[in-house]
Each structure stands twice: as structure tokens, then as C-alpha cells.
Amino acid sequence: MKIHIRGMHIDLNNEADLFFLHETLVYEKIKDLESLPSSDIYTKIYKKDVIIKEQELENLHKDIKIAFIGCGKFISMFLSQYNQLKKIKIDSIVEINIDRAKQNCKNSGLSEQTIQNINFSKSLDDVLKRDVDIFIEATGNPLIGTKHAAKIIKSKKNIIMVNVEADILCGKYLSDLATENKVVYSMA
């Protein structure tokens, strides 16, 4: 089945096209969903899923505390959207160059007050002791990223891997380790 959206032909049987559609919808922060063809099965499923997830998020009684490991390009893109997020709070940023991390926060539009409230550290071990719900590993270094992920999982903490290189090397091991420790291991 093919659909036509914004001048593009999307084949709903093609995994790459579905991925593109999903990323497009996420990137546009769901604002244009109503303009998509409502007869499209994927859009209907996606709309329902997004609405349910938004309601679940709004009904949470506490903020979701996150910690970033690495504060480069990917995290800067996330930070630029941070002011629109309601329930997600940055607890910590682990970075070997703390001054660069703070500058990336500032360049991404975070207020001085928000930056002051973030715990910056060079040590993952120090941050593992904090009340963080989700760690986001974004160093881009496959060996260091794998070590970080294993340490986080063994500490019974959830992790989102932005570090594709680490997932390619050890994704199955990390996924199995997460299952064993009853935590979530997910790719970004």
C-alpha cells in the first residue's frame, strides 16, 4: 500500500519508508498529524499510539529524570527541544569536558537557571548514585559506550543508546543483560 504525503510517495510495506514516516512525524512534534490522510492505516495507529503516550506522560505524578553521557552533537539537538518538554528533567550530564557541555547547553537555548540546576560530572559512578530514571549514552565511542551501558544496566537503571557503534558491537549482550536485570535497553 502506498500513500502520498508532502510530495513524497511512502510505501507502507517498505521498512525504510515507514522509518522515514515515523521520524518525520516525530521531528515535526506531531503538530501536522491532522493534515495527514486519515485513511492511512499507519497514521491512524501512530496517532492513537502518540495520544495514549502523551496522556500517560501527562498523568505521571513525577518528572522523568534523565542523565546524558556525552554532550556533543546529538545531545545538543535534544537540548534545543528541551524547553518544550513538560515532564522530562535533566538531572545530570557526564562529560569529560564540562565547560564544553555547559557551553553546548547555553548554545542550545537552555536558561542560566536550568544550566545551574544540572549536575555536571566527569564521573559516571557519581551520577549512578543519583535518582535518575533514564540514562542516555551518547559518547559515540564503542568501547567506552559499551562499558557505560553495562555499568548502568548492572546498577538496575534504564538506558537509551544513542551510541550506534556500541550497539553494533555488543547490542545483543547489552539487551540480554538488561533483560536479566529487569531494566530497559533501547536504541534512540
Side-chain angles (χ1 to χ4, degrees):
M1 174 181 201
K2 290 186 178 183
I3 60 172
H4 186 76
I5 298 175
R6 295 186 186 92
M8 300 194 70
H9 296 283
I10 305 292
D11 181 352
L12 296 178
N13 296 318
N14 181 309
E15 195 171 312
D17 283 3
L18 284 175
F19 176 78
F20 171 78
L21 177 61
H22 177 266
E23 292 301 305
T24 300
L25 295 173
V26 169
Y27 176 76
E28 295 191 10
K29 294 205 68 114
I30 321 305
K31 66 183 176 198
D32 277 350
L33 276 179
E34 296 308 317
S35 69
L36 295 175
S38 59
S39 60
D40 158 10
I41 294 169
Y42 182 80
T43 303
K44 284 183 177 179
I45 292 169
Y46 190 81
K47 278 184 183 181
K48 182 179 178 186
D49 188 47
V50 167
I51 290 168
I52 289 170
K53 298 244 183 307
E54 285 179 349
Q55 289 170 346
E56 288 174 1
L57 192 57
E58 287 176 14
N59 290 335
L60 282 177
H61 298 296
K62 70 176 195 100
D63 291 334
I64 299 169
K65 295 181 187 172
I66 62 173
F68 295 120
I69 305 167
C71 191
K73 185 187 245 181
F74 181 89
I75 299 306
S76 293
M77 290 186 294
F78 180 93
L79 293 172
S80 69
Q81 300 296 315
Y82 182 70
N83 293 324
Q84 281 73 43
L85 302 176
K86 296 178 186 173
K87 292 282 191 172
I88 297 174
K89 300 297 176 214
I90 301 169
D91 178 83
S92 299
I93 295 178
V94 179
E95 173 60 59
I96 56 175
N97 186 336
I98 291 177
D99 290 335
R100 182 184 77 145
K102 288 181 179 181
Q103 188 62 46
N104 283 350
C105 289
K106 186 176 181 179
N107 292 345
S108 298
L110 270 60
S111 70
E112 288 296 327
Q113 181 62 44
T114 299
I115 295 169
Q116 288 176 11
N117 290 336
I118 297 171
N119 171 52
F120 290 89
S121 177
K122 293 182 178 185
S123 168
L124 174 60
D125 291 331
D126 291 343
V127 177
L128 282 170
K129 298 172 189 170
R130 297 177 62 87
D131 182 27
V132 173
D133 299 303
I134 301 171
F135 284 79
I136 300 173
E137 211 296 332
T139 61
N141 182 312
L143 298 177
I144 299 296
T146 300
K147 288 180 183 179
H148 287 160
K151 188 178 274 195
I152 291 164
I153 292 167
K154 288 176 181 176
S155 296
K156 308 287 188 209
K157 303 278 187 169
N158 300 311
I159 181 167
I160 297 172
M161 278 302 262
V162 175
N163 190 331
V164 177
E165 299 84 358
D167 186 69
I168 289 170
L169 284 175
C170 300
K172 174 73 170 118
Y173 163 74
L174 294 171
S175 178
D176 291 347
L177 187 62
T179 300
E180 179 184 313
N181 283 277
K182 297 176 177 49
V183 296
V184 174
Y185 170 81
S186 176
M187 287 298 295

